[in-house]
Amino acid sequence: MSCVEVKNVFFSYNNGDKEEKILNGINMSVDRGTIYTLIGASGCGKTTLLSCLMCIQKPQSGELKVFNQKSAKIPKLIGFMPQQNSLVAELTINETLQYFGHLYEMKQEIFDERFEMISELLDLPDKNLQIRDLSGGEQRRISLAATIIHDPKLLILDEPTVGLDFLLREKIWEFLFQKTTNDNVTAIITTHYISEAANAHRCGFMRNGILIAEDSPNAILDKLNIESLDEAFYHLCTKKENENQIILESENFGREQNEEKIEEQKIFRPKIMKGLLIKEFHRIRRQPLEIFIIFIMPVFQFYLFLIAIGAIPNDLILGIVNNEDQNCNKYTINNSIPIDKCSEATFSCEFTNHVINNNFQKVLYNTHHQALHDFKESNLFGFVEIPKNFTQIIFDETENRTGAVEVFLDNSKYHLLLYTKSKIMSAFLDFMDELAGRCNVNELIRGRPIKFEELYAPLSFDIRTTLMTAIMLSLPFTMTNIFALLIISDTRIAGVWNRTLLCGVKLTEIILANAIECIFISIVIAASMIIGQDFIFGAEVLGSKFLVFSLITGICIVGFMMGFFISILCDKFQASSGLGQLITILTVFTTGLIWPVESLSPWIIPISYIHPLTFPFIANRNIILKGVEICHSSVILGFFVINAWIIVLAVSSYFLLKTKKFSRNF
Ligand SMILES: Nc1ncnc2c1ncn2[C@@H]1O[C@H](COP(=O)(O)OP(=O)(O)OP(=O)(O)O)[C@@H](O)[C@H]1O
């Protein structure tokens, strides 16, 4: 009764315009309860054949059956040991085997029993050691332990004894004999140690994608009339292909196979989910840098922003050139001119006191020249020059006023320029208001035909508050995006996903476990931001904090999923990190973070509209500064964009995973 049947399998790689044939019409049959070794020169296609058997690769034609069905349908009956260890480096030995125990839905008592037996068999090191601290041979033994932990009926082992010492190799072979003899287990093994092949019940020699010989080791030696398998290997590998083909042919192909029962798969398998989540938990907690990047970085950067940005500049020095009255030292702020002196006094000193003293440090100059000299040579931010006829101008009721207060400011410091302009302007208007009331001057003279009323943002409206509304979404988005990119690429490239899928875990389960992890992290980030913003820095939110919290959480999830998608899309780490950088740059320039969307170049506007942050920024700004509620159109649009992105990224990731799954290095 055979356990594995391979019928006329052809497989080739398509490298651009060149088709590279790897398997060239392979036929193979493995009896139940036997050990079958596959031998052949490096690159002859042994691993490819095993990959096809495990449904990792799909052959162009031919048929491969295990227990009369596709191997993917009966993952728990098979123990597959890949050539690459594909283990999570941060887990301990115990956690690694527990992980596989969970994936195979093993009961804890059975797992404990098996763990003890395997530890002894493979002479495993201390179970609390992390995989990354083990030697190559030790890692190989853990990989083998993970393969046999669930006591499978068929073992497919790709070079299981490589890097192991002679004693251990002997022990493993002894174990295989026991399993095949006592428990009717079947084993297919590839090896480069030809002497090992002598232990097998049957042995297959591969060359250039063809099985050129298949029989018991003794029968092969007899047929070739050769003493050792090493000589047989040399003989078969050096003879001309057509000669070999004639020498030996498989006699066993096409025998009856018995079918093993397929376990019904439940829709939700809590043990598997638990295994996936516990693995992630241990992996993350063992990497302090990772924890720092995920949890602390966005929050830390946000706090840093709140500390660093938006404070009032307190050391700005402005010069005064008062051409009307050069002797202003006699005035103080409280020393204002009484009503009865309105008509005879000059007001330039009072003006400079009111306008400048409150907001800036003041330096008096006698001439324009002196002020200009210091402006160029020292740290003077600018100077205000008051004309000779200042008082006359402000009281002039005609429309032919000539002369004006001139303000010279450093244009190179844009934010300080805006701040100074607005301070001087508003202080001037206040001064004129007050003076008009005190000296009974009519409204028109005050030169204030326009009044600015601040409808929204009655909070201390400043650059920090406006920027904060965008920063508190862009930082978590960027950080979660980068985090997902790093982690998923790392896990994929290490082959952990492939090995996990081969244990029978479904793609949806991997996605769900990642989603649970990312939602949890997002909630922690969002909560820390809200707490910091509110309780530590006292930055006010006019609307609902829960809405802001939900926006941050949603944006974190989009960031994660974007990173998830990119890391599946790109097979090389360099490509995925390049794409990640591009997204960060687009976030900075196209979403209204540093430049308003309203004045973006028309070329950029379409990118801005599809970027996941643009509309949530608007929603967040409106919630924080205007206090709008959930039913406001901007908030609805913000949440709609977030949800749309989550759905699009989830669906695209799923289909991309489906096409890529099981490809080499997945
Ligand atoms: N993605 C790929 N694209 C093109 N060729 C590939 C790809 N992967 C593997 N190959 C080629 O397929 C051939 C068979 O590879 P395979 O890994 O099956 O050999 P092998 O017999 O297992 O070798 P070894 O004993 O060294 O492990 C090799 O020549 C290899 O270069």
Side-chain angles (χ1 to χ4, degrees):
M1 195 88 63
S2 75
C3 164
V4 174
E5 290 281 322
V6 177
K7 205 192 274 181
N8 214 17
V9 167
F10 286 85
F11 179 87
S12 49
Y13 283 111
N14 229 332
N15 285 339
D17 49 352
K18 203 174 135 226
E19 197 187 28
E20 204 178 321
K21 282 189 178 166
I22 309 294
L23 302 180
N24 245 324
I26 286 250
N27 288 304
M28 181 176 131
S29 168
V30 182
D31 277 351
R32 241 189 135 151
T34 61
I35 304 174
Y36 187 109
T37 48
L38 255 183
I39 317 175
S42 176
C44 70
K46 300 182 294 292
T47 300
T48 310
L49 176 60
L50 298 193
S51 307
C52 289
L53 208 51
M54 289 304 297
C55 302
I56 297 173
Q57 314 267 38
K58 198 167 184 268
Q60 277 76 21
S61 66
E63 214 181 326
L64 298 111
K65 283 188 173 173
V66 172
F67 298 119
N68 213 17
Q69 49 214 314
K70 282 196 167 172
S71 64
K73 288 188 174 172
I74 42 171
K76 284 187 190 165
L77 295 181
I78 304 170
F80 175 63
M81 181 177 176
Q83 207 171 51
Q84 197 190 1
N85 288 331
S86 310
L87 301 170
V88 182
E90 294 76 25
L91 298 195
T92 63
I93 295 175
N94 185 36
E95 287 158 2
T96 301
L97 296 183
Q98 281 276 5
Y99 173 58
F100 284 95
H102 280 126
L103 299 191
Y104 289 119
E105 298 180 276
M106 290 173 75
K107 287 203 174 104
Q108 193 59 43
E109 318 83 74
I110 298 176
F111 171 82
D112 292 340
E113 234 171 72
R114 296 277 309 160
F115 185 93
E116 210 166 297
M117 189 281 279
I118 290 169
S119 275
E120 210 170 296
L121 168 78
L122 297 175
D123 196 15
L124 297 186
D126 178 358
K127 64 177 184 178
N128 295 316
L129 282 174
Q130 284 179 45
I131 302 292
R132 63 177 163 203
D133 296 331
L134 302 179
S135 71
E138 286 169 335
Q139 291 191 13
R140 203 77 196 123
R141 274 183 272 158
I142 305 302
S143 177
L144 180 58
T147 308
I148 58 177
I149 189 78
H150 60 299
D151 201 12
K153 292 218 158 82
L154 169 65
L155 290 167
I156 299 181
L157 314 176
D158 201 351
E159 299 187 20
T161 52
V162 72
L164 302 186
D165 60 67
F166 175 74
L167 279 179
L168 259 172
R169 285 187 356 224
E170 285 289 298
K171 239 177 158 181
I172 289 170
W173 274 98
E174 205 178 298
F175 163 77
L176 291 174
F177 270 119
Q178 254 181 41
K179 292 304 288 178
T180 46
T181 317
N182 303 340
D183 301 335
N184 208 23
V185 165
T186 312
I188 301 176
I189 298 171
T190 67
T191 181
H192 280 283
Y193 302 113
I194 310 291
S195 54
E196 281 186 351
N199 297 323
H201 297 101
R202 281 179 79 78
C203 184
F205 280 84
M206 261 184 94
R207 186 175 166 187
N208 295 340
I210 305 167
L211 206 58
I212 52 174
E214 189 192 49
D215 214 325
S216 72
N218 284 339
I220 291 176
L221 295 181
D222 283 349
K223 281 182 194 170
L224 291 172
N225 201 16
I226 277 176
E227 298 261 306
S228 73
L229 277 177
D230 286 311
E231 274 180 74
F233 180 75
Y234 178 77
H235 178 89
L236 291 168
C237 287
T238 49
K239 273 212 154 200
K240 284 178 192 159
E241 271 173 39
N242 51 357
E243 284 178 282
N244 286 332
Q245 194 71 34
I246 297 161
I247 297 169
L248 298 164
E249 268 175 13
S250 172
E251 297 150 9
N252 293 319
F253 183 73
R255 282 164 316 133
E256 199 185 323
Q257 274 194 316
N258 66 338
E259 203 161 296
E260 289 283 336
K261 254 205 219 148
I262 300 177
E263 240 182 71
E264 234 179 76
Q265 284 208 350
K266 291 174 225 136
I267 294 176
F268 182 69
R269 297 182 292 177
K271 245 203 169 126
I272 291 183
M273 200 47 73
K274 187 176 159 190
L276 292 169
L277 290 173
I278 290 178
K279 176 206 68 171
E280 278 305 289
F281 170 72
H282 288 312
R283 201 178 52 74
I284 289 177
R285 87 184 166 91
R286 292 261 160 64
Q287 302 191 82
L289 187 67
E290 218 171 86
I291 294 191
F292 183 73
I293 291 177
I294 328 167
F295 289 106
I296 318 267
M297 277 285 253
V299 179
F300 170 74
Q301 288 177 356
F302 180 55
Y303 288 6
L304 193 66
F305 161 79
L306 289 175
I307 294 167
I309 309 289
I312 292 169
N314 46 14
D315 284 334
L316 276 188
I317 304 171
L318 275 189
I320 307 283
V321 184
N322 191 341
N323 294 316
E324 184 183 66
D325 185 348
Q326 304 249 328
N327 194 18
C328 281
N329 290 336
K330 58 184 184 281
Y331 288 96
T332 66
I333 290 180
N334 300 324
N335 187 5
S336 51
I337 292 157
I339 301 171
D340 55 328
K341 296 268 169 51
C342 278
S343 54
E344 53 197 72
T346 56
F347 284 87
S348 53
C349 289
E350 194 178 327
F351 166 73
T352 53
N353 272 344
H354 274 263
V355 173
I356 313 297
N357 266 2
N358 283 346
N359 308 296
F360 308 94
Q361 288 187 38
K362 181 175 72 173
V363 180
L364 297 176
Y365 292 95
N366 290 334
T367 64
H368 174 92
H369 241 76
Q370 284 171 351
L372 194 62
H373 176 267
D374 272 12
F375 179 55
K376 284 178 183 163
E377 301 297 328
S378 72
N379 56 351
L380 201 64
F381 183 67
F383 62 95
V384 179
E385 186 161 1
I386 295 161
K388 265 189 185 147
N389 54 347
F390 176 78
T391 307
Q392 190 194 336
I393 298 166
I394 57 174
F395 286 103
D396 192 349
E397 294 201 23
T398 70
E399 295 202 351
N400 318 323
R401 283 178 280 178
T402 53
V405 176
E406 287 185 274
V407 184
F408 301 86
L409 295 174
D410 184 352
N411 249 340
S412 65
K413 295 171 181 164
Y414 188 66
H415 284 111
L416 292 180
L417 179 78
L418 284 184
Y419 169 80
T420 310
K421 266 186 180 172
S422 80
K423 281 294 168 196
I424 292 178
M425 204 55 207
S426 63
F428 175 70
L429 293 175
D430 289 346
F431 167 76
M432 294 299 275
D433 271 352
E434 195 273 328
L435 189 66
R438 186 166 17 125
C439 295
N440 203 17
V441 181
N442 96 38
E443 180 82 11
L444 191 67
I445 301 168
R446 286 152 59 194
R448 199 171 180 176
I450 292 180
K451 276 193 173 180
F452 293 97
E453 297 294 343
E454 289 165 4
L455 277 180
Y456 293 117
L459 326 165
S460 50
F461 180 79
D462 51 28
I463 289 173
R464 184 174 88 156
T465 318
T466 328
L467 263 181
M468 180 189 78
T469 60
I471 290 281
M472 64 198 302
L473 294 185
S474 61
L475 283 179
F477 171 78
T478 315
M479 291 316 296
T480 49
N481 185 24
I482 293 173
F483 167 75
L485 263 176
L486 293 176
I487 297 310
I488 308 289
S489 303
D490 192 35
T491 321
R492 259 193 67 194
I493 290 163
V496 176
W497 273 16
N498 234 352
R499 197 157 184 184
T500 303
L501 289 169
L502 289 172
C503 296
V505 178
K506 287 182 274 183
L507 269 181
T508 44
E509 284 166 333
I510 292 190
I511 294 176
L512 187 62
N514 276 284
I516 292 173
E517 184 189 354
C518 103
I519 289 170
F520 171 74
I521 296 172
S522 304
I523 287 174
V524 175
I525 293 174
S528 321
M529 285 191 141
I530 297 281
I531 290 168
Q533 179 215 21
D534 197 2
F535 297 111
I536 304 176
F537 298 98
E540 221 176 313
V541 174
L542 285 185
S544 151
K545 281 185 197 121
F546 180 71
L547 283 182
V548 178
F549 167 81
S550 310
L551 275 178
I552 302 175
T553 309
I555 275 302
C556 282
I557 296 172
V558 176
F560 267 115
M561 298 201 61
M562 185 88 80
F564 187 83
F565 177 76
I566 292 172
S567 53
I568 303 165
L569 184 71
C570 306
D571 289 332
K572 291 261 162 51
F573 183 67
Q574 290 87 332
S576 57
S577 57
L579 258 183
Q581 265 184 25
L582 175 69
I583 288 172
T584 308
I585 286 167
L586 289 178
T587 304
V588 173
F589 295 123
T590 67
T591 57
L593 176 65
I594 57 168
W595 191 251
V597 176
E598 291 82 351
S599 53
L600 280 176
S601 145
W603 288 79
I604 306 241
I605 295 260
I607 301 174
S608 172
Y609 283 170
I610 55 168
H611 194 291
L613 278 175
T614 306
F615 291 106
F617 274 173
I618 297 170
N620 202 34
R621 192 165 59 226
N622 287 347
I623 295 167
I624 292 179
L625 297 177
K626 298 183 183 176
V628 302
E629 293 296 337
I630 181 90
C631 48
H632 191 268
S633 58
S634 65
V635 180
I636 294 171
L637 187 59
F639 279 107
F640 171 79
V641 168
I642 287 175
N643 285 305
W645 267 101
I646 290 176
I647 292 168
V648 167
L649 287 168
V651 172
S652 340
S653 299
Y654 178 77
F655 284 108
L656 196 59
L657 277 171
K658 262 199 132 172
T659 58
K660 288 209 163 185
K661 101 171 163 168
F662 290 141
S663 60
R664 269 185 168 179
N665 289 336
F666 177 74

